[in-house]
Amino acid sequence: MIWVDFDGVIADLLPAWLAMYNTRYGDFVQESDILSWDMATYVKPEAKHAIYGILDEPDLYDDVKPIDGAIEGLMALPKPWGIATHCTSEAMVAGKVAWLKRHWDGAGGWPEYFVPINDKSHLRGDFLVDDGIHNLAVFQGTGILFNAPHNHGMVPCQRVMNWSEVIAAVT
């Protein structure tokens, strides 16, 4: 079983998240500014508690683009595979499912599993492809770290730079 994280591996969430934050708070945070997992570190003091609430906005995923090669890469994965994604609300689940429906042409079949999960230590499988080092640290199979600015310098397992490398790592 291959598990794939959604945000930062399939869907390029960060630009849309930052755009929504920057618009609301009159800030100018860039993707290149985010060098660790804790987004609250990079925002104005008055936004530290609100930054994660943006993830529950029903229209956040309207402007999220796919990671280059992600849709084609998902269709090329050997079966069985599924999407395991952190979700804090029903709105977030709905946003992610709607995003998949917009970007998935169905050529490779719908994902066998779509699992909203807050603790990826509960996942069982052979591989987990994720951009969050903390998720890979608790996964009992083989962790594959999808490269992102917020995880540079961390090498707990194999790092992949793109979806071609994901496919090579799991086949």
Side-chain angles (χ1 to χ4, degrees):
M1 178 72 190
I2 301 166
W3 291 106
V4 181
D5 181 35
F6 188 80
D7 298 310
V9 178
I10 298 170
D12 195 8
L13 173 64
L14 190 56
W17 189 7
L18 286 175
M20 195 171 276
Y21 159 75
N22 284 331
T23 299
R24 286 190 185 163
Y25 289 91
D27 208 350
F28 302 96
V29 179
Q30 305 286 317
E31 289 179 65
S32 58
D33 296 331
I34 310 301
L35 301 176
S36 68
W37 189 260
D38 185 10
M39 282 286 289
T41 304
Y42 305 97
V43 301
K44 291 180 173 183
E46 62 269 24
K48 289 193 182 302
H49 289 83
I51 189 66
Y52 295 106
I54 292 173
L55 295 173
D56 292 325
E57 295 286 334
D59 59 343
L60 174 62
Y61 285 90
D62 292 354
D63 295 325
V64 173
K65 307 287 186 239
I67 297 281
D68 286 341
I71 302 301
E72 300 82 5
L74 288 170
M75 291 189 281
L77 286 175
K79 295 188 185 299
W81 66 270
I83 296 170
T85 184
H86 180 81
C87 291
T88 56
S89 69
E90 289 300 318
M92 188 183 288
V93 172
K96 291 179 182 190
V97 169
W99 185 94
L100 274 171
K101 288 178 180 176
R102 279 194 309 276
H103 293 281
W104 192 266
D105 68 7
W110 192 251
E112 292 176 75
Y113 302 95
F114 181 88
V115 179
I117 190 167
N118 293 330
D119 181 355
K120 292 185 182 176
S121 70
H122 297 295
L123 292 173
R124 297 295 176 260
D126 301 304
F127 298 98
L128 171 60
V129 182
D130 205 306
D131 64 322
I133 194 85
H134 59 286
N135 292 322
L136 299 173
V138 299
F139 181 67
Q140 294 183 15
T142 300
I144 299 172
L145 183 63
F146 199 87
N147 189 62
H150 61 263
N151 65 34
H152 282 190
M154 301 176 187
V155 192
C157 54
Q158 180 178 359
R159 177 183 295 271
V160 294
M161 305 303 284
N162 55 48
W163 265 91
S164 295
E165 291 183 14
V166 169
I167 299 304
V170 300
T171 54

